Amino acid sequence: MTLATQLLDWYYENARDLPWRQDKDAYKIWVSEIMLQQTRVEAVKGYYQRWIDRFPTPAVLAEASEQEVLQYWQGLGYYSRARNLLAGVREVCAAYGGEVPEDEQLIRQLPGVGDYTAGAIASIAYNRRVPAVDGNVLRIFSRLFCLESDISKQATKREIAGLLHRHMPDSSPGDFNQALMDLGSMICIPRRPRCQVCPLSNLCEGYAREVQDTLPVRPAKKEPVLVQLAAGLVLQDGKYLVRQRPAKGLLAGMWEFPTVELTGGQAADRCLTAVLWHEFGQEVDVGEEQFHYIHIFSHRKWDISFFSCQWLSGNGVMKEGQWRSLTEFSNMPWAGPHHKVALALAES
DNA sequence: AAAACGGGGGT
DNA sequence: ACCCCAGTTTT
């Protein structure tokens, strides 16, 4: 019995039934792999089905507008993935006749496709014997071989890619890679791995040494930065002032209620008034603070106050931004969870 | 080599 | 609260 045999035997008995495992269509595998980058399986399922219903083939997606594509991505995060996927699909239609190339190196050239995703697509859709090193593989192999090097380091990833490649079977390399995903999801989980029911426990050096709970070794976490924002719900004639974020950076291209970063502890209402005047050339009457909302993600912490505003004089010229009803705004790709909250507030 | 990039679910 | 996820791109 080899590692691959033991793993595949377990996989064929215990494989998860996932929407993107219905067939081996390379485009569908591609879509699923992009959605799954840094995103949980449970979160992806609904988005994937909706996406395939609307964009069933590369040709259909290539014809769609970026705004609509972003809308279908709304809430999934990392929006550059959607842009890259759209650009990549257009490239496939233009350069490869709408068929995803079979060669891993060519797949790797597509925007948004890194080493992992190229390996996953090539192995799953085209049965190529290429490794796909993701967080699951790093965790599983660091335990299997008791590797104590930092898995965020490039050298560690290369080492594990080599080990993985050595252990891949000649047949069903795609199943092998997917089996590692399922093992990492159900058995070799980050905390308190279920070694008692693991099909590879007899091969696992980490388990033998009883150090599986200390692996893998990750980099020390960094302190989040606090960013204080004030957001305005500026109303005129039943429509709210919204603007589009810059094409690069945080939440690129997403629509939002106007916000202003508060530095040095200024009063939020005065600061918001000044920015609205500066950006949109008109005076507003900032009302009472509505509530306070805090959102945290990996490296930043947003502390946001919302204000309701009345648009005053009608003389100024709006330099940027648009007026939208709440319904219209809801149908645009909008930024972040704080605007979900703002929408709920505005609707109440 | 390190930072930037979202959001959600598990514990 | 904290962890961390089917990672890639930019700096």
Side-chain angles (χ1 to χ4, degrees):
Chain A
M1 288 284 274
T2 63
L3 188 158
T5 309
Q6 288 182 211
L7 180 61
L8 285 171
D9 285 350
W10 172 84
Y11 178 67
Y12 293 132
E13 289 298 317
N14 299 282
R16 290 174 292 179
D17 182 20
L18 300 172
W20 44 92
R21 290 180 176 173
Q22 300 285 331
D23 58 58
K24 306 261 185 183
D25 182 300
Y27 162 73
K28 293 182 184 174
I29 303 296
W30 181 9
V31 170
S32 72
E33 290 300 340
I34 300 299
M35 285 187 173
L36 286 161
Q37 289 169 3
Q38 297 295 284
T39 309
R40 306 248 175 199
V41 166
E42 287 308 315
V44 168
K45 282 181 178 172
Y47 283 90
Y48 173 81
Q49 204 53 61
R50 253 191 348 139
W51 186 281
I52 295 301
D53 288 345
R54 171 63 185 87
F55 312 115
T57 65
V60 172
L61 178 56
E63 293 300 314
S65 73
E66 184 174 287
Q67 287 291 293
E68 186 186 7
V69 165
L70 285 173
Q71 218 173 288
Y72 273 76
W73 206 269
Q74 165 65 49
L76 211 41
Y78 289 120
Y79 299 96
S80 63
R81 293 184 294 173
R83 282 201 192 75
N84 286 333
L85 178 56
L86 176 58
V89 159
R90 286 177 173 165
E91 194 176 318
V92 161
C93 287
Y96 304 114
E99 293 289 331
V100 180
E102 293 196 21
D103 180 58
E104 183 213 2
Q105 298 303 322
L106 290 180
I107 299 173
R108 177 67 178 81
Q109 301 306 311
L110 296 167
V113 176
D115 291 337
Y116 163 76
T117 304
I121 297 173
S123 65
I124 297 171
Y126 297 127
N127 220 34
R128 297 294 178 108
R129 191 170 173 281
V130 288
V133 178
D134 71 333
N136 290 304
V137 169
L138 292 172
R139 186 172 59 253
I140 292 168
F141 274 72
S142 68
R143 286 170 176 166
L144 268 177
F145 298 98
C146 225
L147 305 175
E148 295 184 315
S149 38
D150 186 337
I151 59 167
S152 71
K153 301 295 184 188
Q154 204 55 47
T156 307
K157 294 180 183 175
R158 273 197 305 272
E159 182 184 2
I160 289 181
L163 286 169
L164 174 56
H165 190 258
R166 200 168 314 154
H167 286 278
M168 288 186 78
D170 291 323
S171 62
S172 308
D175 288 346
F176 180 75
N177 283 339
Q178 291 186 95
L180 288 169
M181 311 296 170
D182 284 11
L183 190 75
S185 156
M186 298 187 283
I187 308 291
C188 198
I189 52 184
R191 310 285 200 90
R192 300 175 59 82
R194 304 169 57 199
C195 303
Q196 305 299 333
V197 293
C198 177
L200 303 182
S201 61
N202 64 316
L203 303 173
C204 185
E205 200 169 330
Y207 181 54
R209 298 188 193 179
E210 299 185 339
V211 294
Q212 69 274 21
D213 285 292
T214 72
L215 298 171
V217 175
R218 295 179 172 283
K221 68 172 168 67
K222 297 197 348 183
E223 202 62 26
V225 179
L226 178 64
V227 180
Q228 291 188 296
L229 301 173
L233 303 177
V234 186
L235 183 62
Q236 182 186 59
D237 300 333
K239 298 198 172 191
Y240 286 85
L241 180 62
V242 297
R243 70 179 178 190
Q244 191 170 26
R245 294 180 61 89
K248 295 202 166 208
L250 185 68
L251 298 165
M254 307 293 281
W255 290 85
E256 64 179 6
F257 296 115
T259 63
V260 55
E261 186 173 338
L262 307 174
T263 57
Q266 310 97 321
D269 55 347
R270 297 180 60 91
C271 198
L272 184 60
T273 300
V275 165
L276 290 172
W277 188 89
H278 176 72
E279 281 195 18
F280 303 105
Q282 284 187 282
E283 192 145 348
V284 299
D285 177 19
V286 176
E288 243 175 64
E289 182 171 355
Q290 299 294 310
F291 64 95
H292 218 57
Y293 177 68
I294 298 176
H295 173 63
I296 301 170
F297 60 102
S298 59
H299 57 290
R300 281 189 205 178
K301 190 186 296 185
W302 294 343
D303 180 357
I304 302 175
S305 306
F306 287 99
F307 292 83
S308 62
C309 306
Q310 292 278 337
W311 199 258
L312 295 182
S313 70
N315 300 329
V317 177
M318 185 148 34
K319 296 172 183 173
E320 52 181 299
Q322 298 180 12
W323 295 100
R324 300 288 171 151
S325 70
L326 291 181
T327 304
E328 289 168 331
F329 181 53
S330 299
N331 290 329
M332 297 152 71
W334 37 267
H338 53 292
H339 285 88
K340 202 180 287 182
V341 175
L343 270 170
L345 170 66
E347 282 165 351
S348 66

